[in-house]
Amino acid sequence: MATDRPAQMGMIGLGRMGANLVRRLIRDGHQCVVYDVNKDAVRDLEREGAVGAGSLVDFVAKLTRPRAVWLMLPAGVVGSTVNELAELLDQDDVVIDGGNSYYRDDIPRATQLARRGLRYVDCGTSGGVWGLERGYCLMIGGEDEVVRRLDPIFASIAPGTDSAAPTPGRTRDGTAPHGYLHCGPNGAGHFVKMVHNGIEYGMMAAIAEGLSIIKSANVGKQERTVDAETAPLRDPDAYGYDIDVTEVAEVWRRGSVVGSWLIDLCADALARSPELTDFTGRVSDSGEGRWTVHAAIDESVPAPVITAALHERFESRGLGYFGDQLLSAMRSEFGGHQETKG
């Protein structure tokens, strides 16, 4: 568990999550040295008590050995940044990757740094833009001694025991009730975070699909095309409900089995814009869902929900359009079926 001794942390990458991680650490009495290519982001945190740096060389010079450097960067630039840092850091300094890097990259990265006497920790970080107040759930991979050394940092970033009611049947000690967990050696932290995000894909898809079904519960009252190409609605009288989806999301927040932070976010979005006019429905995937599906295949573990949710994101971006054209072409060729417009 954490000590009361303040620690020093260097943060590279001051986007929404990186900046808020720094703010949580400063609030808890830790010193933070910060660097970002965006100079305004550095100046903003300097005004809040951080020590700003103008370059990586300056950044490293302002940290006390053994240094602890946290990277909160897109996965695509982590490797090059680690390579730059490796030339500047000293033996026993620690590099922590708090972003969503692929866990398979952590294993050779840790080996590469170990050859220089440097230490490496991968830390899956969940909490999004709300983490400043709620705290961040941390999933950590690395050597035992290094993770223990960083415990004061993890304890300040994590939500703490008050973030959830005690688990009734739990008798074990450990840091998990505080919101952070040492999952295993290098890669284990990002592996757990990868699967966490894969689960997130499935949960988000189920909530979105369910609310969409409720929104369409009045289809029996609408005029429908009657032709050979359109399946008839068998029982229109069974679908005559004008249900307020915004209010459904709100009531599900309170005592429902599916009540969750994701439902909270849906309710808030719908309250502000019931028709969600600010969104086109194009849903990105940043890699974790794909990697989770790859792991499921390698492990021979069935994961149909996560896989379907990933494919649904592809479809949302129009990536299935050519396949849809081929389906339409085949129906036309074998049966003379004409496309129904609209």
Side-chain angles (χ1 to χ4, degrees), residues 18-250:
N20 283 342
L21 288 169
V22 170
R23 291 184 176 105
R24 277 189 72 85
L25 289 168
I26 290 174
R27 288 180 184 181
D28 217 23
H30 303 293
Q31 184 192 56
C32 291
V33 179
V34 299
Y35 172 71
D36 194 286
V37 292
N38 180 349
K39 305 304 181 188
D40 289 338
V42 174
R43 282 191 286 269
D44 286 344
L45 284 172
E46 282 181 317
R47 285 191 283 268
E48 297 181 44
V51 177
S55 67
L56 279 182
V57 173
D58 183 34
F59 171 82
V60 170
K62 288 178 175 175
L63 288 166
T64 304
R65 297 179 59 185
R67 304 175 182 93
V69 178
W70 188 301
L71 308 181
M72 210 65 192
L73 299 168
V77 299
V78 169
S80 59
T81 306
V82 168
N83 290 339
E84 283 189 72
L85 280 170
E87 300 294 331
L88 301 172
L89 296 175
D90 295 300
Q91 186 166 339
D92 212 30
D93 289 349
V94 186
V95 176
I96 306 124
D97 179 7
N100 282 329
S101 294
Y102 191 19
Y103 82 96
R104 291 190 176 207
D105 293 334
D106 293 319
I107 300 168
R109 198 165 283 154
T111 301
Q112 167 200 345
L113 292 177
R115 293 194 188 105
R116 294 175 170 267
L118 303 174
R119 321 298 280 275
Y120 181 78
V121 170
D122 50 284
C123 184
T125 310
S126 181
V129 297
W130 301 93
L132 175 59
E133 300 304 329
R134 292 166 56 105
Y136 295 88
C137 177
L138 304 177
M139 295 142 271
I140 304 159
E143 301 167 88
D144 292 348
E145 182 273 323
V146 181
V147 173
R148 281 195 299 270
R149 184 198 309 177
L150 295 169
D151 192 82
I153 295 294
F154 297 138
S156 290
I157 291 171
T161 55
D162 292 340
S163 60
T167 301
R170 184 179 174 86
T171 58
R172 299 168 60 183
D173 293 326
T175 63
H178 296 260
Y180 63 107
L181 178 67
H182 184 196
C183 301
N186 287 119
H190 277 152
F191 186 90
V192 174
K193 178 57 163 50
M194 172 189 79
V195 178
H196 165 283
N197 284 19
I199 293 169
E200 185 180 288
Y201 280 33
M203 292 174 68
M204 291 171 69
I207 292 168
E209 290 171 12
L211 289 173
S212 184
I213 292 168
I214 290 172
K215 183 175 176 61
S216 297
N218 64 353
V219 68
K221 297 164 65 174
Q222 300 172 11
E223 278 194 29
R224 292 175 60 82
T225 302
V226 179
D227 59 35
E229 296 301 307
T230 305
L233 181 63
R234 179 174 174 178
D235 297 306
D237 291 344
Y239 298 97
Y241 305 116
D242 292 305
I243 301 173
D244 190 331
V245 176
T246 299
E247 294 302 281
V248 171
E250 184 65 29

Side-chain angles (χ1 to χ4, degrees), residues 264-283:
D264 292 347
L265 298 177
C266 277
D268 185 52
L270 288 165
R272 286 184 279 110
S273 176
E275 298 301 321
L276 302 177
T277 52
D278 290 338
F279 301 94
T280 64
R282 293 174 60 87
V283 187

